[in-house]
Amino acid sequence: MPVPPKQDKLRTELRLKENEISRFIERINTLDKDNVALRKELELMDSLRQRMAVLTDKLNQLNFLSHEINTFDLDALARVVVEKIPLLVSARYVSLFLYDYKNDELALKKHNHQSDISTKIVLRHHQNSLMGLVLRDKKPVLVRNIDDFERQLGEKLDRTFAFKYATKSCLCVPLMAGNIICGVLNLADKTDGTFFNEMDDLPVIEQLSHLIGAALQNSFLFNEIQQQARMDGLTKLANYKTFYEFLKAEVHRSTRYHHNLCLIMMDVDGFKQVNDQHGHPAGDSLLRQVAQLIASYVRQEDLAARYGGDEFVVILPETPLSGGLIVANRIIEKLRKHRFTYEGATLDIRVSMGIADLQEGMVVTDLVKKADGAMYQAKAKGKNRLEAAT
């Protein structure tokens, strides 16, 4: 039975409408997918924008810190490292160790831990520690989880103090100046309980580590030069310039606050004969031995110095004459009992010593003259003895 033309037309129109609806739905689905993708891209861009803002802030802080780190003052440098660097990576704990090449040891300079930590680490006993690993490879070690790190490493690490930390994440970085290791910086426990990561934390700390390493090396060199300028090259005691500056300051302080002050001067008897019989290297060796004995008998607040030639001086702040005589007698007795040798030969020497205390109205030259006069009085009375200025 033939379909009426009107009904056939309606069917055709219906199919066209269905096709349009299908295309419309397909377009909506496509737009919806595009919208989802766009939202993800926007979220990613927002996340990157936030990261960039954080990174920019860290770079600004880094620039500011670089000026504070650039100092010869080792204590000031350590203070900046411990107080300000943890803020950059939200680290709870930080410790700064300095490396001693001679003894292959790490010495703690400063930390912010709530309890005590090791002040010295002998690396031959702790080669499998994180710091030992960092020093061996001269590369930073970022640990998200120490257990996973050990499994990847294939060995157990020295974790003596692991119980002191709230998390198992840490960052250990060598402080390098060129190819020279100056120390190690340790950061542990993120304040939010998460782990240190390669994107937010490592680049900033790595950049800082180079600045700190260079500053440490400069500080070491500066202090070494300062020390050399104050020290007698042969005996390693203070030199004449340092002696005079120290004595001048102590005389001023003692005069102002009415404190006691003593000065010991001594001369090596028979030094010329040692040089004549055994040569100048023997004389140099003798002076070094005398200096070591004198240095072993003075307090940290005292100053032992080489006055010149074979003469030595000891400044005793906060010491009355009676106390100075006790120290002087101990030194001279120690020198009498010591057997001075050079290449197996015994060096026959003694020491003449004079002591004076600061009296009212005295200036530096007066005190030196009194002690020097007492020393020459000891020589005049037969040498190898102590005389006090009258």
Side-chain angles (χ1 to χ4, degrees), residues 58 85-86 88-91 93-95 130-131 134 139-146 165 167-175 184-190 195-209:
K58 286 185 177 181
I85 288 180
L88 284 174
V89 292
S90 303
Y93 299 120
V94 60
S95 58
L130 273 178
M131 286 196 287
V134 163
K139 294 179 180 178
V141 172
L142 187 148
V143 177
R144 291 170 175 247
N145 182 292
I146 191 67
Y165 302 103
T167 72
K168 295 184 177 182
S169 181
C170 62
L171 182 54
C172 187
V173 185
L175 303 173
V184 176
L185 177 67
N186 298 302
L187 297 155
D189 282 2
K190 297 275 281 188
F195 51 78
F196 293 96
N197 66 76
E198 292 81 355
M199 182 175 290
D200 298 321
D201 305 318
L202 186 58
V204 175
I205 297 302
E206 268 195 299
Q207 182 66 30
L208 276 172
S209 70

Side-chain angles (χ1 to χ4, degrees), residues 36-50:
V36 170
L38 183 60
R39 281 200 302 270
K40 288 182 178 179
E41 288 180 6
L42 289 172
E43 289 173 0
L44 179 60
M45 288 179 65
D46 188 55
S47 176
L48 289 173
R49 192 161 43 244
Q50 291 177 15

Side-chain angles (χ1 to χ4, degrees), residues 27-261:
R27 178 60 179 162
I28 288 175
N29 290 335
T30 301
L31 289 173
D32 189 51
K33 290 178 182 179
D34 291 342
N35 191 35
V36 170
L38 183 60
R39 281 200 302 270
K40 288 182 178 179
E41 288 180 6
L42 289 172
E43 289 173 0
L44 179 60
M45 288 179 65
D46 188 55
S47 176
L48 289 173
R49 192 161 43 244
Q50 291 177 15
R51 282 182 176 271
M52 284 296 294
V54 171
L55 184 58
T56 301
D57 182 56
K58 286 185 177 181
L59 288 174
N60 289 334
Q61 293 181 58
L62 185 64
N63 183 54
F64 180 76
L65 281 176
S66 65
H67 295 290
E68 293 193 76
I69 289 170
N70 187 24
T71 176
F72 292 136
D73 187 336
L74 191 55
D75 292 330
L77 173 60
R79 191 164 54 250
V80 171
V81 169
V82 169
E83 293 178 1
K84 298 188 177 181
I85 288 180
L87 302 176
L88 284 174
V89 292
S90 303
R92 190 180 304 279
Y93 299 120
V94 60
S95 58
L96 172 64
F97 284 83
L98 305 182
Y99 182 54
D100 178 359
Y101 266 98
K102 183 178 179 181
N103 299 308
D104 196 27
E105 295 176 349
L106 285 167
L108 179 66
K109 177 61 182 175
K110 197 171 182 64
H111 72 97
N112 69 347
H113 291 237
Q114 295 173 341
S115 57
D116 292 336
I117 61 176
S118 296
T119 57
K120 183 179 289 187
I121 297 173
V122 181
L123 290 166
R124 63 179 176 273
H125 299 152
H126 299 276
Q127 293 180 349
N128 67 331
S129 64
L130 273 178
M131 286 196 287
L133 188 65
V134 163
L135 290 176
R136 184 191 70 194
D137 297 339
K138 296 184 178 180
K139 294 179 180 178
V141 172
L142 187 148
V143 177
R144 291 170 175 247
N145 182 292
I146 191 67
D147 298 327
D148 296 337
F149 183 80
E150 280 186 334
R151 281 191 289 271
Q152 293 170 4
L153 193 63
E155 63 176 290
K156 283 287 184 181
L157 294 173
D158 183 351
R159 295 165 60 180
T160 307
F161 300 102
F163 68 93
K164 292 188 175 184
Y165 302 103
T167 72
K168 295 184 177 182
S169 181
C170 62
L171 182 54
C172 187
V173 185
L175 303 173
M176 310 279 295
N179 200 40
I180 299 173
I181 298 174
C182 299
V184 176
L185 177 67
N186 298 302
L187 297 155
D189 282 2
K190 297 275 281 188
T191 53
D192 59 2
T194 60
F195 51 78
F196 293 96
N197 66 76
E198 292 81 355
M199 182 175 290
D200 298 321
D201 305 318
L202 186 58
V204 175
I205 297 302
E206 268 195 299
Q207 182 66 30
L208 276 172
S209 70
H210 295 297
L211 296 174
I212 298 168
L216 285 174
Q217 181 69 354
N218 290 337
S219 176
F220 296 158
L221 291 173
F222 177 76
N223 289 330
E224 185 178 340
I225 292 170
Q226 291 288 92
Q227 184 68 14
Q228 289 174 354
R230 295 191 297 264
M231 184 188 295
D232 173 62
L234 177 65
T235 64
K236 306 307 178 186
L237 296 181
N239 57 22
Y240 176 80
K241 182 176 182 291
T242 304
F243 155 72
Y244 189 83
E245 289 174 350
F246 188 86
L247 183 61
K248 185 179 178 181
E250 285 302 321
V251 167
H252 175 76
R253 189 175 67 87
S254 298
T255 301
R256 181 176 182 180
Y257 297 107
H258 306 288
H259 290 178
N260 293 307
L261 177 66

